[in-house]
Amino acid sequence: MTADLRQRAEGLAAPLPALLAQAEHLAASVLPGAHGRRRAGQGDEFWQYRPATASDGAGRIDWRRSGRADAHFVRETEWQAAQAVTLWVDRAQAMAFSGAKDRAPKADRARLLGLALAVLLLKGGERVGLLPDLPPRMGRAQLEPLTLSLATDDATDFGTPPPAAMPARSQAVFLSDFLGPTEGLEEAIARAVEQGVGGVLVQILDPVEEQFPYQGRSIFESMSGIIRHETLRANDLQTRYRDRLAARKDALSALARHSGWQVLTHHTDQPPAKALMALWQALDGGR
């Protein structure tokens, strides 16, 4: 009994060091030495001096600093209240798809981006959580449960953000291909908006899902093996497929626009650093 439990535990923990090492390396390559999304606000720590504007009253002027120049300056402190960011990484079986043997599956890229973002946020003093049952917390200790949850392979038939509460006036990041049913996603974003939660949708696609390069006789099968379709003229499906994908992207953009969220698209043949930087900037702009 004890040996079996230990074997299962070791098997579960095996992917953790590799995933976390990759995430930390990615985070360091994007923002080396990053110390969070700093901005002016209430706090005790000095941040910067900036030139005074017409809207700054005399009480805001730092006269000692201004006395050393021919202009007036305002002393700003750093905004110190930790923000909460809740992640959701799609675990649908379809996320295991890869269009090439040397290309990472969509699920692996989603996990890597999610964990690398968590590394950056936690390093910056923010709180990070993971749906459905890991509430946002601060500190490096949060990386272990985050990594454990992300490395666990418990794929479902389709992915939908679970109906879990998120901190009010926080932010969320959903990573998925968003090719499954849309009703659950719409409900999840509606709940988030009611709680004052802003966010970013990161659509992760394999390049063949954009291009549909298939010709002649082809067999299409779902990752679960339940759905199977054979055609002798796959090229005849190309236009209809691309039209439907474009319609899905338009619907996703409209949903985000209506909710005050943002949408990013990332292809698995692109460097993950590019997507991580775009995601970091999107979150920074949402604060």
Side-chain angles (χ1 to χ4, degrees):
M1 180 71 176
T2 303
D4 180 63
L5 180 61
R6 179 178 179 179
Q7 184 177 6
R8 282 187 291 151
E10 289 176 348
L12 183 64
L16 303 191
L19 177 59
L20 182 55
Q22 291 174 19
E24 291 185 319
H25 177 74
L26 175 58
S29 69
V30 170
L31 291 174
H35 294 288
R37 297 170 293 154
R38 300 177 63 188
R39 60 181 55 218
Q42 295 182 351
D44 298 323
E45 297 293 329
F46 169 75
W47 181 29
Q48 67 177 7
Y49 288 111
R50 65 165 175 81
T53 65
S55 62
D56 294 315
R60 298 203 61 193
I61 304 298
D62 188 293
W63 296 105
R64 179 177 296 180
R65 172 64 181 85
S66 300
R68 302 198 302 268
D70 296 328
H72 291 160
F73 289 89
V74 172
R75 185 180 190 274
E76 290 187 325
T77 55
E78 185 176 353
W79 189 88
Q80 292 180 321
Q83 291 289 282
V85 178
T86 303
L87 307 175
W88 173 70
V89 178
D90 192 352
R91 298 178 183 272
Q93 290 182 339
M95 291 293 289
F97 175 75
S98 173
K101 293 181 179 179
D102 60 347
R103 194 156 56 233
K106 293 182 290 184
D108 288 2
R109 184 56 56 86
R111 292 168 179 169
L112 177 61
L113 288 175
L115 191 57
L117 178 64
V119 169
L120 289 175
L121 291 169
L122 291 170
K123 186 176 182 180
E126 312 283 28
R127 295 180 292 143
V128 182
L130 179 69
L131 294 178
D133 50 16
L134 189 59
R137 294 191 177 92
M138 297 176 63
R140 184 172 175 81
Q142 181 74 334
L143 277 178
E144 182 176 344
L146 280 169
T147 308
L148 179 62
S149 181
L150 288 171
T152 302
D153 187 11
D154 57 351
T156 57
D157 288 337
F158 59 88
T160 299
M166 291 181 279
R169 295 176 298 281
S170 64
Q171 294 189 84
V173 175
F174 292 174
L175 299 108
S176 172
D177 59 11
F178 300 113
L179 297 180
T182 60
E183 293 79 5
L185 176 64
E186 293 168 356
E187 293 173 1
I189 293 182
R191 287 193 301 268
V193 172
E194 289 178 356
Q195 299 166 12
V197 177
V200 183
L201 304 176
V202 184
Q203 186 176 38
I204 300 175
L205 298 173
D206 189 277
V208 303
E209 292 176 314
E210 289 274 13
Q211 301 159 3
F212 199 84
Y214 308 107
Q215 301 286 328
R217 182 178 182 272
S218 302
I219 299 175
F220 301 97
E221 189 174 63
S222 66
M223 297 302 295
S224 64
I226 297 176
I227 302 174
R228 189 176 187 272
H229 176 73
E230 181 175 354
T231 179
L232 297 178
R233 298 176 59 87
N235 45 298
D236 289 348
L237 303 174
Q238 188 180 82
T239 299
R240 280 184 289 167
Y241 171 84
R242 290 180 175 177
D243 287 346
R244 292 190 65 177
L245 180 60
R248 172 56 62 93
K249 286 188 171 185
D250 288 344
L252 198 63
S253 296
L255 173 62
R257 191 165 54 248
H258 177 74
S259 306
W261 284 39
Q262 299 184 62
V263 179
L264 302 176
T265 301
H266 174 64
H267 299 128
T268 53
D269 63 339
Q270 297 176 340
K274 181 179 179 181
L276 182 59
M277 176 60 79
L279 180 53
W280 178 266
Q281 293 173 343
L283 284 177
D284 193 47
R287 282 184 56 172

